[in-house]
Amino acid sequence: MNKHINRFGPWLIVASTLIFWEICVLIFAIPKFVLPAPSAIIESLVKWAPVIAIHAWQTLFTTLIGFVFAVLGGLGIGIAVGWSTLLYRALYPLLIAFNSVPKVAIVPILVIWFGIGTPPAIITAFMLAFFPIVVNVAAGLATVEPELEDVLRSLGASKKDILLKVGLPSSAPYFFAALKVAITLALVGSVIAETIAANKGIGYLMLNASSRFDVPLVFAGLIVVAIMGIVIYEICAYIERRTTGWATRGATSVVSSAGGG
Amino acid sequence: MSATNEQAFVKLKNVDIIYGDNASGVKALEGTNLHVEKGSFIAVVGPSGCGKSSLMRLVTGLIPPSAGTIKVANKPVNGPLKIAGMAFQNPTLLPWRNTLDNIMLPLEIVDGYRKDLKRNRLKYEEKAYALLETVGLKDFAMSAPHELSGGMKQRVSLCRALMHEPELLMLDEPFAALDAFTREELWGVLQKLWMEKRFTVILVTHDLREAIYLSQKIYVMSSRPGKIVIEKNVEFDFPRSLSDTYKPDFVALVEELRNHISLERQ
Ligand SMILES: Nc1ncnc2c1ncn2[C@@H]1O[C@H](COP(=O)(O)OP(=O)(O)OP(=O)(O)O)[C@@H](O)[C@H]1O
Ligand SMILES: [Mg+2]
């Protein structure tokens, strides 16, 4: 019984929410351009499916490219910052400043530099996804027990040995936890940039639809973004479980931190 | 002090440790002299915070002395030793490695081994198994640390400290977190290993019975800033057994040392 509730509980909640929504729209006769009923959204989804697919593909593409750069850059800078206190002190204020700037405000600048299109979306995705990876990798490196470091140093281990044998493996759970956060933030970044400066992508589609008061299509876009978010999150969560299962069974607890949009 | 000073394996002369800057910092050790002969087993006891752990890190070259000189194997210590094995109260195993791979870790780092580890891996694994057998963990070679009890982890930690056959074994309260039964069992394990291999051991402990059971000589330290106030030879024959610890001579020695320490704490 309990098992069934665990399995189907989430779906039940989604279904009852949709039904409740549908009924409310019917009872209060809410106009389509204010809040479309789920049935209207689904209708629009089906009707525009080929167009939505093209834009969704574009959004996925910019998200993944931005994410890959964020992973590479975040790993590099995270390791550098965790490795050297000097670099940590030098880069820390810069990183905080970078994370505090609202990324929406940077998109117009990106447009001036790169024009309207794919590059601003990729860069915005990168900027949002980058910070949590840096912070978590650096935090993971800092969790190495001082006593373990003593053990290794008394064996003649170099700083590099300690990083390779202990630092990187013990920061891996933090890194993979950050991936989950980072990939969804990358998606947010892509969509934000597309609503400001693009001629392709789900964000562009939604902006375009709302200017035509095609609210069901706007909602259809939102739902596509949400589903994409869930799928890429789950993929990262799966990778996390497969690679660092040891961490959830031991005493190590993983904290993940998110940057703001 | 003994006449064999010149041959001492570990030699500390007038050593100070000051944490922070010299004027306002915490003085953890003051004017400490220590001579440990090769192959001997010594214990250091003293009130909490007197600088025992600092002494351990000093001898292994992990921190430099603020004053005085340290020599190990007749060479001045001015960096991490590379010939030491260490074990602490906390077993500090790598949670992503199984028991065997945890024990093999020193071989991936110590100079003489890291080059030919790949070629002779089987031979070294055999050695690791033999070591595991002496501590009663042969069947757990493939277990992850989270599948082991506290006492088992501590045995693994001990094996890791001995895997590269160090000349010097540094133990900082290695059994302090264990229950009395496991602790006494591990005393036997450690004594057996030491009698077989005769590495030099410096053991820090709060347990006077443990110190007397295991060591040939006990150093009592004063409270902070720590210095060695009493050296006491333990003359009982090896191997010692648990029942020896209840004999009158043994109990009298525990009493005597306890009195010294309670004096030092005032
Ligand atoms: N890294 C450090 N920085 C500053 N002070 C330190 C540091 N390590 C130790 N101390 C100080 O040096 C003194 C001795 O510490 P140490 O850890 O050597 O004591 P201990 O004898 O091992 O104590 P315990 O028996 O409780 O383990 C303490 O007063 C402590 O506050
Ligand atoms: Mg200590």
Side-chain angles (χ1 to χ4, degrees), chain A residues 145 150 153-154 161 165 169, chain B residues 57 82 90 96 108 114:
Chain A
E145 286 170 281
D150 281 358
R153 288 211 302 148
S154 69
D161 289 333
K165 300 278 176 208
Chain B
R57 306 189 70 218
K82 304 185 175 190
N90 181 352
W96 56 89
E108 296 165 27
R114 66 191 299 169

Side-chain angles (χ1 to χ4, degrees), chain A residues 145-158 161 165-167 169-170 246 249-250 252, chain B residues 57 60 62 80 82-84 86 88 90 92 94-97 105-106 108-110 114 146 160 164:
Chain A
E145 286 170 281
E147 289 185 339
L148 183 55
E149 217 174 305
D150 281 358
V151 168
L152 292 171
R153 288 211 302 148
S154 69
L155 296 172
S158 65
D161 289 333
K165 300 278 176 208
V166 186
S170 61
W246 55 265
R249 265 168 272 133
T252 330
Chain B
R57 306 189 70 218
T60 25
L62 296 169
K82 304 185 175 190
I83 56 158
M86 293 184 102
F88 300 89
N90 181 352
T92 63
L94 305 180
W96 56 89
R97 288 183 174 215
L105 178 69
E108 296 165 27
I109 290 168
V110 174
R114 66 191 299 169
H146 72 91
R160 181 181 64 189
H164 56 296

Side-chain angles (χ1 to χ4, degrees), chain B:
Chain B
M1 306 213 169
S2 67
T4 51
N5 274 356
E6 291 313 307
Q7 283 90 51
F9 185 61
V10 176
K11 227 188 299 188
L12 269 68
K13 207 168 163 196
N14 286 324
V15 167
D16 291 357
I17 301 178
I18 301 168
Y19 286 108
D21 66 79
N22 278 15
S24 62
V26 178
K27 201 163 199 177
L29 278 187
E30 187 179 43
T32 302
N33 292 296
L34 191 70
H35 297 265
V36 184
E37 279 162 44
K38 194 163 173 62
S40 68
F41 195 133
I42 70 128
V44 178
V45 297
S48 184
C50 71
K52 301 183 295 295
S53 297
S54 305
L55 179 71
M56 302 295 268
R57 306 189 70 218
L58 189 76
V59 172
T60 25
L62 296 169
I63 50 173
S66 308
T69 54
I70 307 162
K71 278 187 177 174
V72 173
N74 275 321
K75 273 180 257 147
V77 174
N78 41 26
L81 272 189
K82 304 185 175 190
I83 56 158
M86 293 184 102
F88 300 89
Q89 178 173 343
N90 181 352
T92 63
L93 303 179
L94 305 180
W96 56 89
R97 288 183 174 215
N98 65 24
T99 302
L100 182 68
D101 291 340
N102 261 296
I103 300 183
M104 299 290 278
L105 178 69
L107 304 188
E108 296 165 27
I109 290 168
V110 174
D111 260 343
Y113 293 100
R114 66 191 299 169
K115 281 189 212 89
D116 73 346
L117 177 60
K118 244 193 206 125
R119 229 177 321 126
N120 294 327
R121 182 149 193 117
L122 278 180
K123 190 182 95 196
Y124 289 128
E125 279 185 0
E126 239 164 65
K127 204 175 130 196
Y129 275 108
L131 205 52
L132 279 175
E133 186 155 24
T134 54
V135 302
L137 281 182
K138 201 173 171 220
D139 297 334
F140 292 89
M142 293 300 147
S143 305
H146 72 91
E147 296 166 333
L148 304 178
S149 72
M152 290 156 101
K153 279 187 218 167
Q154 205 57 55
R155 288 167 212 234
V156 177
S157 170
L158 202 58
C159 287
R160 181 181 64 189
L162 292 171
M163 187 61 203
H164 56 296
E165 299 185 347
E167 289 173 73
L168 181 62
L169 181 64
M170 307 292 285
L171 301 172
D172 193 347
E173 302 183 35
F175 310 130
L178 304 175
D179 65 279
F181 294 111
T182 312
R183 192 184 313 148
E184 289 172 358
E185 194 190 327
L186 288 187
W187 293 353
V189 169
L190 177 58
Q191 178 170 274
K192 195 172 129 224
L193 281 168
W194 174 71
M195 289 181 67
E196 264 169 34
K197 310 197 173 173
R198 283 290 172 152
F199 36 77
T200 310
V201 188
I202 302 183
L203 167 76
V204 164
T205 176
H206 281 131
D207 185 339
L208 295 175
R209 279 178 70 230
E210 177 173 304
I212 300 170
Y213 179 104
L214 284 168
S215 70
Q216 298 171 303
K217 198 177 204 178
I218 296 174
Y219 292 85
V220 179
M221 287 178 72
S222 68
S223 53
R224 203 182 69 221
K227 53 177 165 278
I228 285 160
V229 285
I230 296 157
E231 285 179 47
K232 187 84 198 165
N233 286 315
V234 184
E235 311 284 2
F236 308 122
D237 291 334
F238 286 95
R240 297 168 186 165
S241 70
L242 277 180
S243 56
D244 291 343
T245 67
Y246 301 102
K247 290 189 176 152
D249 292 358
F250 195 103
V251 175
L253 189 53
V254 173
E255 272 315 302
E256 187 190 333
L257 287 172
R258 176 159 292 137
N259 288 337
H260 282 307
I261 290 182
S262 52
L263 278 179
E264 282 313 322
R265 287 182 54 184
Q266 279 149 22

Side-chain angles (χ1 to χ4, degrees), chain A residues 86-217:
Chain A
L86 189 75
L87 273 179
Y88 176 81
R89 289 218 195 93
L91 290 181
Y92 191 68
L94 219 83
L95 284 170
I96 297 294
F98 171 80
N99 192 48
S100 310
V101 172
K103 307 301 177 290
V104 192
I106 297 181
V107 179
I109 302 173
L110 295 177
V111 173
I112 294 173
W113 289 346
F114 300 102
I116 284 181
T118 309
I122 291 177
I123 294 169
T124 315
F126 164 81
M127 287 192 301
L128 275 181
F130 171 72
F131 193 71
I133 297 179
V134 173
V135 170
N136 272 31
V137 169
L141 288 177
T143 58
V144 174
E145 286 170 281
E147 289 185 339
L148 183 55
E149 217 174 305
D150 281 358
V151 168
L152 292 171
R153 288 211 302 148
S154 69
L155 296 172
S158 65
K159 219 174 161 186
K160 190 179 129 211
D161 289 333
I162 295 176
L163 182 77
L164 291 179
K165 300 278 176 208
V166 186
L168 289 183
S170 61
S171 67
Y174 294 80
F175 170 69
F176 285 109
L179 287 193
K180 290 188 299 187
V181 178
I183 189 113
T184 47
L185 285 174
L187 181 63
V188 169
S190 277
V191 175
I192 286 178
E194 285 163 2
T195 55
I196 299 173
N199 38 30
K200 230 175 161 192
I202 292 285
Y204 168 76
L205 178 75
M206 283 161 64
L207 187 76
N208 197 306
S210 78
S211 68
R212 288 185 285 108
F213 290 100
D214 187 351
V215 181
L217 184 56

